[in-house]
């Protein structure tokens, strides 16, 4: 008997949904329900998106965005994971810093763009800083939450054998918290991509998908270029999220199995 993979079914359903949406948009444009002069045909947009694959300028902009995204995500992990372990391991420190965290966390990173522009002369540094600020929260919160989910019996058992706090942290807390950290990083990756493009679009700069969209706004086929670039931004987001999901399932298969049993 052939066993169907639920992931394959979801991918197929998602592909059919996207194809159906484009078909509806194409029919609406050709029947006059939507004015093609205002909103181009789906086939026209897809053709433009396909042409961007060979556009050197656009590919350079994509590379710039992904560079800021990757660096910002790496810095986020390097800062947020240790901070999460510190706050999660020391309740008094968490209680002291909790008001500050709760004050900063709701502030949208986009609202900080004017401040970032005033502080950073280099647009790349501005993007990375905003990415780190926005992406820190899911990683930090998930790390703290994961520490609270660690089995206290496992920690006490290790202590009873004479292991110190650092050994317990390394041998028990870190492995148990790792799946939660991975989930936080996956959520942060999507936020990082959104913030990178938004910073390029609103803050300006020489390169990036957002800058490409901004520059395309003055062309005759502005709507086509803008939608085509947005499609590629969405595709990049889907691909990166899918890679993170695949990595989580392979590396933390034991955690997935335990969740399914529970």
């Amino acid at each position: 008997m052939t066993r169907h993979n639920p992931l394959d079914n979801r991918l197929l359903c998602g592909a059919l949904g996207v194809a159906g949406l484009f078909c509806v948009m194409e029919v609406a444009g050709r029947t006059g329900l939507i004015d093609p002069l205002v909103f181009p045909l789906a086939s026209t947009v897809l053709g433009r998106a396909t042409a961007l694959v060979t556009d050197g300028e656009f590919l350079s902009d994509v590379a710039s965005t992904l560079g800021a995204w990757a660096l910002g995500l790496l810095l986020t992990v390097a800062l947020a994971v240790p901070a999460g372990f510190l706050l999660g391991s020391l309740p008094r420190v968490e209680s002291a810093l909790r008001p500050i965290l709760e004050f900063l966390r709701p502030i949208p990173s986009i609202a900080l763009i004017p401040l970032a522009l005033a502080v950073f002369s280099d647009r790349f540094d501005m993007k990375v800083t905003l990415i780190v600020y926005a992406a820190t929260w899911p990683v930090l919160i998930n790390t703290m939450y994961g520490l609270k989910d660690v089995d206290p019996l496992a920690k006490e058992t290790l202590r009873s054998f004479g292991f110190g706090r650092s050994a317990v942290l390394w041998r028990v807390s870190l492995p148990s918290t790792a799946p939660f950290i991975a989930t936080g990083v996956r959520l942060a990756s999507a936020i990082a991509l959104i913030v990178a493009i938004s910073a390029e679009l609103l803050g300006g700069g020489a390169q990036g998908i957002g800058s490409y969209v901004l520059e395309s706004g003055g062309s005759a086929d502005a709507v086509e270029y803008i939608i085509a670039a947005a499609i590629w931004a969405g595709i990049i987001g889907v691909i990166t999220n899918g890679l993170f999901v695949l990595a989580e399932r392979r590396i933390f298969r034991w955690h997935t199995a335990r969740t399914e049993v529970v």
Side-chain angles (χ1 to χ4, degrees):
M1 181 182 294
T2 303
R3 185 176 179 181
H4 295 284
N5 190 339
L7 179 60
D8 294 338
N9 292 335
R10 288 196 295 268
L11 290 175
L12 178 60
C13 291
L16 291 175
V18 172
L21 174 62
F22 278 107
C23 289
V24 170
M25 293 173 59
E26 183 73 14
V27 171
R30 293 191 179 278
T31 56
L33 293 176
I34 299 177
D35 188 356
L37 296 178
V38 177
F39 195 92
L41 296 172
S43 57
T44 304
V45 173
L46 289 176
R48 185 70 67 183
T50 303
L52 288 180
V53 177
T54 58
D55 188 335
E57 179 184 355
F58 179 72
L59 294 179
S60 177
D61 287 325
V62 171
S64 177
T65 298
L66 290 179
W69 169 83
L71 179 58
L73 203 57
L74 286 174
L75 292 175
T76 296
V77 173
L79 295 174
V81 173
F85 271 100
L86 177 65
L87 295 176
S89 303
L90 303 175
R92 292 185 178 179
V93 176
E94 179 188 358
S95 299
L97 297 180
R98 174 66 68 173
I100 300 176
L101 297 178
E102 293 301 327
F103 172 75
L104 293 175
R105 189 158 62 98
I107 299 177
S109 57
I110 306 303
L112 298 177
I113 289 180
L115 176 61
L117 287 172
V119 174
F120 297 96
S121 58
D122 187 275
R123 293 295 184 262
F124 186 82
D125 293 341
M126 178 203 71
K127 284 192 295 184
V128 172
T129 302
L130 290 174
I131 288 170
V132 172
Y133 173 81
T136 289
W137 305 112
V139 180
L140 178 67
I141 299 302
N142 273 272
T143 303
M144 295 169 61
Y145 180 81
L147 276 177
K148 294 179 181 179
D149 192 63
V150 176
D151 186 2
L153 181 60
K155 295 192 292 185
E156 290 300 327
T157 301
L158 211 61
R159 290 194 187 103
S160 67
F161 282 99
F163 289 94
R165 174 175 293 183
S166 60
V168 173
L169 183 67
W170 180 258
R171 294 172 179 267
V172 177
S173 300
L174 182 58
S176 299
T177 310
F180 295 90
I181 297 175
T183 300
V185 174
R186 176 166 56 84
L187 297 174
S189 69
I191 296 173
L193 184 60
I194 294 172
V195 172
I197 297 176
S198 300
E200 293 163 354
L201 185 61
L202 300 177
Q207 285 188 316
I209 297 176
S211 300
Y212 182 87
V213 170
L214 194 62
E215 294 174 359
S216 300
S219 64
D221 301 325
V223 179
E224 294 179 18
Y225 281 104
I226 292 172
I227 299 176
I231 289 175
W232 276 113
I235 291 174
I236 292 171
V238 170
I239 292 175
T240 54
N241 182 76
L243 291 175
F244 275 110
V245 170
L246 183 61
E248 282 184 55
R249 294 191 176 188
R250 288 185 177 274
I251 299 173
F252 305 113
R253 186 173 300 174
W254 55 270
H255 184 265
T256 304
R258 189 188 71 173
T259 305
E260 291 176 352
V261 170
V262 175

